[in-house]
Amino acid sequence: MRSTQELKNDLKNGRYSDILTYIYRTVNTQKCAGRYLEVIDEFEKTFGAADELALFSAPGRTEIGGNHTDHQHGCVLAASVNLDVIAAARPNGTNQIRIQSRNYKMDIIDLGDLEIHPEQFDKAIALIRGVVRKFVDLGYPVKGFDAYTISNVLKGSGLSSSAAFEVLVGTIVNGLFCDGEVSAVDIAKFGQFAENVYFDKPSGLMDQMASSVGSVVAIDFESTENPKIKKVDMNLKQYGHALCIIDSGADHADLTDEYATIPSDMREVAEFFRKEYLREVDEAEFMSSIM
Protein backbone atom coordinates (compact mmCIF):
# COMPACT_ATOMS: atom_id res chain seq x y z
CA MET A 1 0.00 0.00 0.00
CA ARG A 2 1.20 3.49 -0.84
CA SER A 3 0.00 7.02 -0.29
CA THR A 4 -2.33 8.59 -2.81
CA GLN A 5 0.42 10.89 -4.05
CA GLU A 6 2.93 8.06 -4.41
CA LEU A 7 0.46 6.01 -6.40
CA LYS A 8 -0.27 8.95 -8.68
CA ASN A 9 3.42 9.56 -9.31
CA ASP A 10 4.03 5.87 -10.01
CA LEU A 11 1.15 5.70 -12.48
CA LYS A 12 2.29 8.86 -14.29
CA ASN A 13 5.88 7.62 -14.44
CA GLY A 14 4.96 4.26 -15.92
CA ARG A 15 5.99 2.15 -12.94
CA TYR A 16 3.00 -0.15 -13.43
CA SER A 17 3.16 -0.40 -17.24
CA ASP A 18 4.09 -4.09 -17.24
CA ILE A 19 1.22 -4.94 -14.88
CA LEU A 20 -1.25 -2.91 -16.94
CA THR A 21 -0.03 -4.53 -20.15
CA TYR A 22 -0.60 -7.97 -18.61
CA ILE A 23 -4.07 -7.14 -17.27
CA TYR A 24 -5.47 -5.34 -20.30
CA ARG A 25 -3.46 -7.01 -23.08
CA THR A 26 -2.50 -3.67 -24.58
CA VAL A 27 0.61 -1.58 -25.03
CA ASN A 28 -1.47 1.59 -24.67
CA THR A 29 -1.07 1.61 -20.92
CA GLN A 30 -1.37 5.39 -20.63
CA LYS A 31 -5.15 5.20 -21.06
CA CYS A 32 -5.34 2.37 -18.51
CA ALA A 33 -3.24 4.32 -16.02
CA GLY A 34 -5.57 7.28 -16.53
CA ARG A 35 -8.51 5.28 -15.17
CA TYR A 36 -6.58 4.46 -12.00
CA LEU A 37 -5.53 8.08 -11.61
CA GLU A 38 -9.19 8.97 -11.92
CA VAL A 39 -10.30 6.47 -9.27
CA ILE A 40 -7.64 7.81 -6.88
CA ASP A 41 -8.82 11.38 -7.49
CA GLU A 42 -12.43 10.37 -6.84
CA PHE A 43 -11.41 8.51 -3.69
CA GLU A 44 -9.69 11.65 -2.40
CA LYS A 45 -12.73 13.81 -3.17
CA THR A 46 -14.96 11.37 -1.30
CA PHE A 47 -12.82 10.18 1.63
CA GLY A 48 -9.79 12.48 1.68
CA ALA A 49 -6.11 11.78 0.98
CA ALA A 50 -4.77 8.49 2.31
CA ASP A 51 -1.36 7.56 3.67
CA GLU A 52 -2.03 3.97 2.67
CA LEU A 53 -4.09 3.14 -0.39
CA ALA A 54 -4.36 0.07 -2.62
CA LEU A 55 -5.74 -0.43 -6.12
CA PHE A 56 -7.89 -3.36 -7.23
CA SER A 57 -9.53 -4.71 -10.38
CA ALA A 58 -12.08 -7.39 -11.27
CA PRO A 59 -13.04 -8.07 -14.90
CA GLY A 60 -16.31 -8.74 -16.60
CA ARG A 61 -16.70 -12.07 -18.34
CA THR A 62 -18.15 -13.69 -21.42
CA GLU A 63 -19.23 -17.27 -21.97
CA ILE A 64 -17.81 -18.81 -25.13
CA GLY A 65 -19.69 -22.07 -24.73
CA GLY A 66 -21.90 -23.67 -22.11
CA ASN A 67 -24.42 -20.98 -21.21
CA HIS A 68 -26.57 -22.05 -18.22
CA THR A 69 -24.85 -25.42 -17.90
CA ASP A 70 -22.97 -24.55 -14.70
CA HIS A 71 -26.02 -24.99 -12.47
CA GLN A 72 -26.57 -28.40 -14.09
CA HIS A 73 -23.03 -29.51 -13.13
CA GLY A 74 -21.98 -29.20 -16.77
CA CYS A 75 -18.91 -27.87 -18.58
CA VAL A 76 -18.28 -24.33 -19.76
CA LEU A 77 -15.73 -22.37 -21.71
CA ALA A 78 -15.57 -18.79 -20.45
CA ALA A 79 -13.23 -15.83 -20.49
CA SER A 80 -12.59 -12.63 -18.64
CA VAL A 81 -12.63 -9.46 -20.74
CA ASN A 82 -10.58 -6.27 -20.57
CA LEU A 83 -13.53 -4.29 -19.24
CA ASP A 84 -13.45 -4.20 -15.47
CA VAL A 85 -14.50 -2.66 -12.18
CA ILE A 86 -11.58 -0.92 -10.49
CA ALA A 87 -11.28 0.43 -6.98
CA ALA A 88 -9.07 2.44 -4.67
CA ALA A 89 -9.44 1.26 -1.08
CA ARG A 90 -7.96 1.57 2.40
CA PRO A 91 -8.79 0.40 5.94
CA ASN A 92 -10.60 3.19 7.79
CA GLY A 93 -10.09 2.09 11.40
CA THR A 94 -13.83 1.80 12.07
CA ASN A 95 -16.42 -0.96 12.09
CA GLN A 96 -18.03 0.36 8.91
CA ILE A 97 -17.52 -0.51 5.28
CA ARG A 98 -18.18 2.43 2.97
CA ILE A 99 -18.19 1.85 -0.77
CA GLN A 100 -18.91 4.69 -3.16
CA SER A 101 -19.51 3.58 -6.74
CA ARG A 102 -19.61 6.28 -9.36
CA ASN A 103 -23.13 7.57 -10.05
CA TYR A 104 -24.62 5.53 -7.20
CA LYS A 105 -25.53 6.19 -3.59
CA MET A 106 -22.81 5.25 -1.11
CA ASP A 107 -23.29 1.80 0.43
CA ILE A 108 -22.54 1.69 4.17
CA ILE A 109 -22.44 -1.55 6.13
CA ASP A 110 -21.91 -2.02 9.84
CA LEU A 111 -19.87 -5.15 10.47
CA GLY A 112 -22.08 -5.83 13.48
CA ASP A 113 -25.00 -6.46 11.08
CA LEU A 114 -24.24 -9.07 8.45
CA GLU A 115 -27.69 -10.63 8.41
CA ILE A 116 -29.85 -10.98 5.29
CA HIS A 117 -32.05 -7.96 4.55
CA PRO A 118 -34.87 -8.98 2.16
CA GLU A 119 -35.63 -5.32 1.42
CA GLN A 120 -32.13 -5.09 -0.09
CA PHE A 121 -32.57 -7.93 -2.59
CA ASP A 122 -31.33 -6.79 -6.03
CA LYS A 123 -29.14 -4.07 -4.47
CA ALA A 124 -25.34 -3.80 -4.42
CA ILE A 125 -25.28 -3.44 -0.64
CA ALA A 126 -26.64 -6.99 -0.38
CA LEU A 127 -23.74 -8.31 -2.46
CA ILE A 128 -21.21 -6.53 -0.26
CA ARG A 129 -22.77 -7.86 2.93
CA GLY A 130 -22.95 -11.42 1.57
CA VAL A 131 -19.31 -11.53 0.44
CA VAL A 132 -18.07 -10.06 3.72
CA ARG A 133 -20.18 -12.56 5.67
CA LYS A 134 -18.26 -15.48 4.13
CA PHE A 135 -14.91 -14.01 5.15
CA VAL A 136 -16.13 -13.35 8.69
CA ASP A 137 -17.63 -16.84 9.03
CA LEU A 138 -14.24 -18.30 8.13
CA GLY A 139 -12.58 -16.30 10.91
CA TYR A 140 -10.79 -13.64 8.91
CA PRO A 141 -10.27 -10.34 10.79
CA VAL A 142 -12.33 -8.11 8.51
CA LYS A 143 -12.44 -4.46 9.57
CA GLY A 144 -13.98 -1.34 8.14
CA PHE A 145 -12.67 0.14 4.91
CA ASP A 146 -13.40 2.89 2.40
CA ALA A 147 -13.48 2.23 -1.34
CA TYR A 148 -14.33 4.15 -4.49
CA THR A 149 -15.17 2.16 -7.61
CA ILE A 150 -15.40 2.96 -11.30
CA SER A 151 -16.71 0.45 -13.84
CA ASN A 152 -16.74 0.17 -17.61
CA VAL A 153 -18.56 -3.19 -17.41
CA LEU A 154 -21.95 -1.89 -18.47
CA LYS A 155 -24.83 -2.92 -16.22
CA GLY A 156 -27.14 -5.32 -18.02
CA SER A 157 -24.60 -5.87 -20.80
CA GLY A 158 -24.37 -9.62 -20.35
CA LEU A 159 -20.78 -9.31 -19.12
CA SER A 160 -21.75 -10.03 -15.51
CA SER A 161 -21.21 -6.65 -13.91
CA SER A 162 -22.67 -8.00 -10.65
CA ALA A 163 -20.20 -10.91 -10.57
CA ALA A 164 -17.32 -8.52 -11.27
CA PHE A 165 -18.47 -6.34 -8.38
CA GLU A 166 -18.71 -9.34 -6.04
CA VAL A 167 -15.23 -10.48 -7.02
CA LEU A 168 -13.92 -6.94 -6.57
CA VAL A 169 -15.29 -6.75 -3.02
CA GLY A 170 -13.81 -10.16 -2.24
CA THR A 171 -10.45 -9.16 -3.68
CA ILE A 172 -10.41 -5.95 -1.62
CA VAL A 173 -11.17 -7.80 1.61
CA ASN A 174 -8.62 -10.48 0.73
CA GLY A 175 -5.94 -7.89 0.03
CA LEU A 176 -6.60 -5.58 2.98
CA PHE A 177 -7.26 -8.11 5.75
CA CYS A 178 -6.34 -11.66 4.67
CA ASP A 179 -2.79 -11.29 3.27
CA GLY A 180 -4.10 -12.64 -0.03
CA GLU A 181 -4.63 -16.10 1.49
CA VAL A 182 -8.07 -16.71 -0.02
CA SER A 183 -7.92 -18.37 -3.45
CA ALA A 184 -9.56 -17.01 -6.59
CA VAL A 185 -11.84 -20.07 -6.58
CA ASP A 186 -13.04 -19.37 -3.04
CA ILE A 187 -13.59 -15.68 -3.80
CA ALA A 188 -15.80 -16.80 -6.70
CA LYS A 189 -17.77 -19.06 -4.34
CA PHE A 190 -18.19 -16.18 -1.89
CA GLY A 191 -19.60 -14.08 -4.74
CA GLN A 192 -22.06 -16.77 -5.77
CA PHE A 193 -23.17 -17.17 -2.16
CA ALA A 194 -23.80 -13.43 -1.93
CA GLU A 195 -25.78 -13.42 -5.18
CA ASN A 196 -27.85 -16.50 -4.31
CA VAL A 197 -28.56 -15.82 -0.64
CA TYR A 198 -28.25 -12.05 -0.07
CA PHE A 199 -29.17 -10.79 -3.56
CA ASP A 200 -31.81 -13.51 -4.15
CA LYS A 201 -30.71 -14.43 -7.67
CA PRO A 202 -30.21 -18.18 -8.31
CA SER A 203 -27.12 -17.90 -10.51
CA GLY A 204 -24.59 -20.64 -11.14
CA LEU A 205 -20.89 -20.30 -10.44
CA MET A 206 -19.57 -19.62 -13.93
CA ASP A 207 -19.84 -15.82 -13.86
CA GLN A 208 -17.90 -15.35 -10.63
CA MET A 209 -15.36 -18.04 -11.51
CA ALA A 210 -14.53 -16.57 -14.91
CA SER A 211 -14.09 -13.12 -13.36
CA SER A 212 -12.05 -14.28 -10.37
CA VAL A 213 -9.76 -16.80 -12.11
CA GLY A 214 -9.34 -14.69 -15.25
CA SER A 215 -8.07 -15.48 -18.74
CA VAL A 216 -9.81 -18.12 -20.89
CA VAL A 217 -10.84 -21.08 -18.76
CA ALA A 218 -12.49 -24.44 -19.28
CA ILE A 219 -14.45 -25.36 -16.16
CA ASP A 220 -16.00 -28.72 -15.33
CA PHE A 221 -18.68 -28.29 -12.66
CA GLU A 222 -19.26 -31.98 -11.97
CA SER A 223 -18.39 -30.99 -8.40
CA THR A 224 -19.42 -27.42 -7.61
CA GLU A 225 -17.36 -27.58 -4.41
CA ASN A 226 -14.21 -28.51 -6.32
CA PRO A 227 -14.67 -27.54 -9.96
CA LYS A 228 -11.96 -28.59 -12.37
CA ILE A 229 -10.45 -25.47 -13.90
CA LYS A 230 -8.02 -25.42 -16.81
CA LYS A 231 -6.64 -22.30 -18.41
CA VAL A 232 -6.84 -22.40 -22.19
CA ASP A 233 -4.26 -20.79 -24.49
CA MET A 234 -6.64 -19.15 -26.93
CA ASN A 235 -6.22 -16.14 -29.17
CA LEU A 236 -9.28 -15.19 -31.19
CA LYS A 237 -7.20 -13.07 -33.58
CA GLN A 238 -5.26 -16.05 -34.87
CA TYR A 239 -8.54 -17.62 -35.96
CA GLY A 240 -9.77 -14.43 -37.56
CA HIS A 241 -12.38 -13.76 -34.90
CA ALA A 242 -13.12 -10.99 -32.44
CA LEU A 243 -15.54 -10.61 -29.55
CA CYS A 244 -17.92 -7.74 -30.22
CA ILE A 245 -19.98 -6.16 -27.44
CA ILE A 246 -23.09 -4.41 -28.75
CA ASP A 247 -25.22 -2.01 -26.74
CA SER A 248 -28.70 -3.24 -27.62
CA GLY A 249 -30.40 -0.81 -25.26
CA ALA A 250 -31.86 -3.71 -23.28
CA ASP A 251 -31.19 -4.41 -19.61
CA HIS A 252 -31.79 -7.78 -17.95
CA ALA A 253 -31.25 -6.35 -14.47
CA ASP A 254 -35.00 -6.50 -13.79
CA LEU A 255 -35.47 -10.00 -15.21
CA THR A 256 -34.36 -12.01 -12.16
CA ASP A 257 -37.62 -13.98 -12.02
CA GLU A 258 -37.36 -14.92 -15.71
CA TYR A 259 -33.74 -16.01 -15.31
CA ALA A 260 -34.69 -18.05 -12.25
CA THR A 261 -37.03 -20.17 -14.38
CA ILE A 262 -34.11 -21.45 -16.48
CA PRO A 263 -32.50 -23.65 -13.79
CA SER A 264 -35.93 -24.69 -12.49
CA ASP A 265 -37.04 -25.70 -16.00
CA MET A 266 -33.82 -27.65 -16.48
CA ARG A 267 -34.34 -29.34 -13.12
CA GLU A 268 -37.80 -30.46 -14.23
CA VAL A 269 -36.34 -32.02 -17.37
CA ALA A 270 -33.74 -33.85 -15.27
CA GLU A 271 -36.49 -35.10 -12.95
CA PHE A 272 -38.32 -36.52 -15.98
CA PHE A 273 -35.32 -38.82 -16.39
CA ARG A 274 -35.28 -39.49 -12.62
CA LYS A 275 -32.07 -37.51 -12.19
CA GLU A 276 -31.23 -34.44 -10.10
CA TYR A 277 -29.15 -32.64 -12.76
CA LEU A 278 -29.01 -32.82 -16.55
CA ARG A 279 -25.34 -33.80 -16.24
CA GLU A 280 -26.52 -37.20 -15.00
CA VAL A 281 -28.93 -37.85 -17.88
CA ASP A 282 -27.80 -40.36 -20.50
CA GLU A 283 -27.37 -38.56 -23.82
CA ALA A 284 -28.83 -41.35 -25.93
CA GLU A 285 -31.89 -41.61 -23.69
CA PHE A 286 -32.31 -37.83 -23.81
CA MET A 287 -32.13 -37.65 -27.59
CA SER A 288 -34.47 -40.60 -28.10
CA SER A 289 -37.05 -38.91 -25.88
CA ILE A 290 -37.30 -35.80 -28.06
CA MET A 291 -37.42 -37.52 -31.43
Side-chain angles (χ1 to χ4, degrees), residues 124-248:
I125 193 170
L127 299 176
I128 301 166
R129 185 177 275 112
V131 170
V132 172
R133 178 62 182 265
K134 292 297 287 185
F135 281 96
V136 171
D137 285 351
L138 289 173
Y140 287 103
V142 181
K143 303 296 182 183
F145 66 88
D146 297 328
Y148 192 98
T149 81
I150 293 176
S151 176
N152 59 11
V153 185
L154 298 176
K155 184 179 179 182
S157 65
L159 296 176
S160 291
S161 58
S162 61
F165 184 73
E166 295 152 19
V167 170
L168 180 73
V169 173
T171 304
I172 291 172
V173 174
N174 194 28
L176 295 183
F177 307 109
C178 309
D179 296 323
E181 293 179 1
V182 180
S183 70
V185 171
D186 282 337
I187 287 176
K189 290 178 181 178
F190 295 177
Q192 185 200 20
F193 166 81
E195 190 155 318
N196 290 173
V197 179
Y198 280 70
F199 195 73
D200 197 38
K201 182 177 180 181
S203 67
L205 186 55
M206 178 191 69
D207 295 351
Q208 294 83 1
M209 195 70 74
S211 176
S212 188
V213 174
S215 189
V216 181
V217 287
I219 311 173
D220 185 338
F221 286 108
E222 182 176 12
S223 169
T224 53
E225 283 300 311
N226 296 290
K228 298 174 183 176
I229 304 166
K230 180 181 179 181
K231 289 204 173 186
V232 179
D233 184 13
M234 179 181 179
N235 186 337
L236 289 176
K237 284 185 179 180
Q238 72 185 51
Y239 298 105
H241 294 291
L243 175 67
C244 298
I245 307 300
I246 300 171
D247 184 0
S248 66

Side-chain angles (χ1 to χ4, degrees), residues 38-49 88 90 98-108 146-150:
E38 187 176 8
V39 82
I40 293 171
D41 285 339
E42 294 301 326
F43 180 94
E44 286 186 302
K45 291 176 186 177
T46 306
F47 302 108
R90 62 147 185 222
R98 303 187 298 177
I99 298 182
Q100 176 67 65
S101 297
R102 170 178 279 178
N103 298 326
Y104 290 92
K105 179 182 176 182
M106 182 183 294
D107 291 314
I108 302 176
D146 297 328
Y148 192 98
T149 81
I150 293 176

